[in-house]
Amino acid sequence: MSPTIERMESEQQMCLGKGVLLEPFVHQVGGHSCVLRFGEQTICKPLIPREHQFYKSLPVAMRKFTPQYRGVVSVSFEEDEEGNLCLVAYPLHNELDDLENMESLADLEPKNKMKWSNKMLLDNEGYTKDRRHMRKDKDKSLKREEELDWFQQAEVLHYSLERSNASRPQIKHNPWSLKCHQQHLQRMKENAKHRNQYKFILLENLTWRHRVPCVLDLKMGTRQHGDDASEEKKEMQIRKCQQSTSASIGVRLCGMQVYQSDSGQLMFMNKYHGRKLTLSGFKEALFQFFHDGRRLRHELLSPVLRRLREMQAALEACESYRFYSSSLLIIYDGEPPRSRRSPEDGLSDEEEEEEEEEDEEAGALGFRGGGGASGGAGGGAGSAVACRGSRLVPGPAVDVRMIDFAHTTCRHYREDSVVHEGQDSGYIFGLQNLITIISQLEEHSTD
């Protein structure tokens, strides 16, 4: 990290002896660990020794494919004067070297305390149920707790974004981050009498540059259990792999958040839906992730493929590493740059016909847009490319990173009883199939 003073002023609220009030990280779409927002460019998550060791000993060649590690903080469960539950992060004195670039500022109190009560968690008017996952009509006077329970359990749903005076879409939360927050907070509350100091690691927030982040979380590899897993856990993970696309292609959908510019809605898909997808369903979900509700964002595909191929080459050079239960994130901005034609401009009849033909061709290969498992996505901003039907504009900024290393192992981990040789063939197998599927999508989007 080489932050400027301006970046530090926007990022850092913490000085020695003072804490940072943590907020929900609203772009978490998968995993079961609670991820929290530490600052604009930094998130934090509970410290798992093996994952911490991975980040501390990360090979140089792998650094650009993982979030940047930024140190460790101590997190406390607290109540404010109004009885609202809060999580507050404090620096660890023995981690000051890791935080050396997090320059302390003058007395800065958090401006807005994050209320963790149920009141702030759900305004259900913005959500619409996917018809295929809709519960039968119930009494309209459902209790708030029942609404919240449905909201968290729904496998696919849509959320209408609010817009501020500046017309920038506002994302309050998504169902998966909400679920993880509540579960983690409840565990901390139950343990508060016995323990109220937890170590969290600080990591780069991969979404901070994007106005409306579209995030795809893919569980990689044909095996998910670590070498230290119990027989029960091992059997459960093997069963999940066998019953999903993990076994057949080495990758399965673990979560998705995607913006549909035609409706102004975010579509969410969780890991339970991802486990049910067949190969054709997985292809359809990828199509939806790169679709903005009007057209396939074909300009996103080449940068993603380039990044995946670079990652494959790096992994093939990683001797003895095994990334069991690790995920791959694909991220781009769903809010088009201002220089691009606005959604209101629409497409000409000729352009619409061309897009329909493109979608039909993709459908013939097993990719379907619209309806299906419910909708699409879109966005971008970055290096210059020419887009069909519009003038030369900045091309899409896409990011592809590996995350979640709680079960990673390699020969350098001296305490591990099992030492693997060679490459992580299961992970690489998943990458190869992902590259093939997106390449097919790219070929049929440019015909």
Side-chain angles (χ1 to χ4, degrees):
M1 174 167 53
S2 55
T4 62
I5 296 299
E6 291 80 11
R7 172 177 166 182
M8 285 299 93
E9 288 179 350
S10 66
E11 172 74 28
Q12 179 63 342
Q13 293 181 331
M14 182 165 58
C15 60
L16 292 180
K18 278 198 170 291
V20 172
L21 189 66
L22 301 176
E23 300 177 358
F25 179 62
V26 298
H27 304 303
Q28 179 183 0
V29 300
H32 54 80
S33 183
C34 178
V35 179
L36 299 166
R37 183 182 184 274
F38 179 83
E40 182 184 16
Q41 300 176 33
T42 304
I43 60 170
C44 63
K45 60 184 290 193
L47 184 151
I48 298 173
R50 182 173 293 274
E51 182 169 45
H52 187 216
Q53 181 179 12
F54 172 81
Y55 279 112
K56 295 278 281 186
S57 61
L58 188 62
V60 175
M62 292 298 299
R63 288 179 185 170
K64 70 175 184 176
F65 300 111
T66 63
Q68 191 177 64
Y69 168 74
R70 295 180 175 176
V72 178
V73 290
S74 176
V75 174
S76 298
F77 173 84
E78 302 177 9
E79 289 190 11
D80 64 13
E81 62 279 1
E82 299 174 2
N84 295 300
L85 307 181
C86 306
L87 291 177
V88 182
Y90 298 93
L92 294 177
H93 291 287
N94 61 349
E95 287 285 336
L96 290 180
D97 288 341
D98 288 318
L99 296 170
E100 61 183 355
N101 288 318
M102 298 273 196
E103 299 181 4
S104 59
L105 305 178
D107 283 353
L108 256 177
E109 290 290 348
K111 293 181 180 178
N112 298 306
K113 285 237 172 188
M114 178 53 60
K115 313 301 184 185
W116 290 77
S117 61
N118 278 354
K119 295 182 201 174
M120 77 91 172
L121 295 177
L122 180 63
D123 175 7
N124 210 32
E125 292 180 0
Y127 289 84
T128 56
K129 302 176 186 178
D130 182 89
R131 290 185 182 275
R132 298 197 309 173
H133 298 274
M134 202 181 223
R135 291 180 176 178
K136 292 194 174 178
D137 287 339
K138 280 180 143 190
D139 187 345
K140 290 185 179 179
S141 61
L142 281 172
K143 295 179 182 177
R144 190 168 191 81
E145 291 76 11
E146 292 175 331
E147 290 180 344
L148 185 59
D149 179 66
W150 170 82
F151 170 61
Q152 291 181 321
Q153 299 302 326
E155 293 181 0
V156 181
L157 55 79
H158 293 78
Y159 170 42
S160 296
L161 298 183
E162 295 182 359
R163 287 187 175 267
S164 65
N165 293 334
S167 295
R168 178 168 181 167
Q170 301 296 307
I171 302 174
K172 288 184 177 180
H173 46 247
N174 71 38
W176 195 256
S177 65
L178 172 60
K179 183 185 183 78
C180 292
H181 294 153
Q182 284 195 317
Q183 290 177 343
H184 191 81
L185 201 64
Q186 184 60 35
R187 286 195 297 268
M188 292 182 76
K189 185 176 181 180
E190 291 170 355
N191 295 332
K193 291 181 180 179
H194 309 288
R195 179 189 177 199
N196 195 25
Q197 292 291 323
Y198 299 84
K199 286 185 178 181
F200 277 54
I201 58 172
L202 298 174
L203 298 170
E204 174 187 6
N205 174 8
L206 302 175
T207 68
W208 80 271
R209 291 183 177 85
H210 303 308
R211 290 165 59 86
V212 185
C214 295
V215 183
L216 178 65
D217 186 325
L218 300 171
K219 186 72 74 175
M220 301 299 296
T222 54
R223 167 180 161 176
Q224 301 303 324
H225 62 277
D227 292 323
D228 58 348
S230 66
E231 284 302 314
E232 181 182 4
K233 182 71 176 287
K234 180 178 177 180
E235 290 176 7
M236 179 181 68
Q237 293 290 6
I238 291 174
R239 187 165 57 251
K240 287 179 184 177
C241 289
Q242 290 176 339
Q243 294 174 350
S244 69
T245 54
S246 290
S248 58
I249 60 173
V251 54
R252 74 171 181 258
L253 190 144
C254 196
M256 184 161 70
Q257 167 180 296
V258 68
Y259 183 57
Q260 300 172 315
S261 60
D262 60 334
S263 62
Q265 292 184 324
L266 275 176
M267 186 269 281
F268 299 106
M269 187 180 293
N270 69 23
K271 68 178 183 181
Y272 302 112
H273 186 73
R275 287 178 194 166
K276 299 175 183 177
L277 294 176
T278 60
L279 176 57
S280 62
F282 178 79
K283 289 182 176 183
E284 178 183 342
L286 279 183
F287 179 88
Q288 291 168 343
F289 179 67
F290 292 111
H291 200 285
D292 69 359
R294 288 188 173 87
R295 69 183 187 92
L296 183 69
R297 297 301 305 274
H298 53 86
E299 67 273 21
L300 298 168
L301 304 179
S302 180
V304 169
L305 286 169
R306 182 166 56 250
R307 183 79 169 172
L308 290 173
R309 290 180 178 122
E310 290 175 357
M311 184 179 292
Q312 179 181 341
L315 286 179
E316 287 174 346
C318 266
E319 178 70 21
S320 88
Y321 273 91
R322 295 296 181 273
F323 300 97
Y324 299 134
S325 200
S326 179
S327 284
L328 186 72
L329 291 185
I330 301 178
I331 304 169
Y332 68 90
D333 199 335
E335 181 79 345
R338 293 186 182 278
S339 58
R340 177 165 304 206
R341 178 176 45 219
S342 67
E344 289 76 19
D345 292 336
L347 298 174
S348 67
D349 291 342
E350 182 179 343
E351 288 171 327
E352 287 182 343
E353 183 177 345
E354 186 176 359
E355 297 296 347
E356 288 174 1
E357 291 175 355
E358 178 178 284
D359 286 357
E360 287 174 3
E361 289 170 342
L365 192 70
F367 301 102
R368 297 200 309 275
S374 82
S383 60
V385 294
C387 298
R388 187 194 319 127
S390 62
R391 58 194 175 92
L392 191 71
V393 295
V398 297
D399 207 350
V400 181
R401 306 280 187 106
M402 300 170 66
I403 61 166
D404 296 341
F405 304 102
H407 302 286
T408 293
T409 182
C410 77
R411 66 162 61 104
H412 306 302
Y413 296 6
R414 305 282 183 191
E415 70 279 7
D416 287 0
S417 58
V418 180
V419 177
H420 300 273
E421 299 296 334
Q423 308 165 343
D424 188 338
S425 58
Y427 197 114
I428 293 172
F429 176 66
L431 270 182
Q432 291 170 333
N433 284 312
L434 185 60
I435 289 169
T436 297
I437 293 170
I438 297 178
S439 295
Q440 292 172 344
L441 188 55
E442 182 186 39
E443 291 168 6
H444 283 75
S445 71
T446 55
D447 286 348

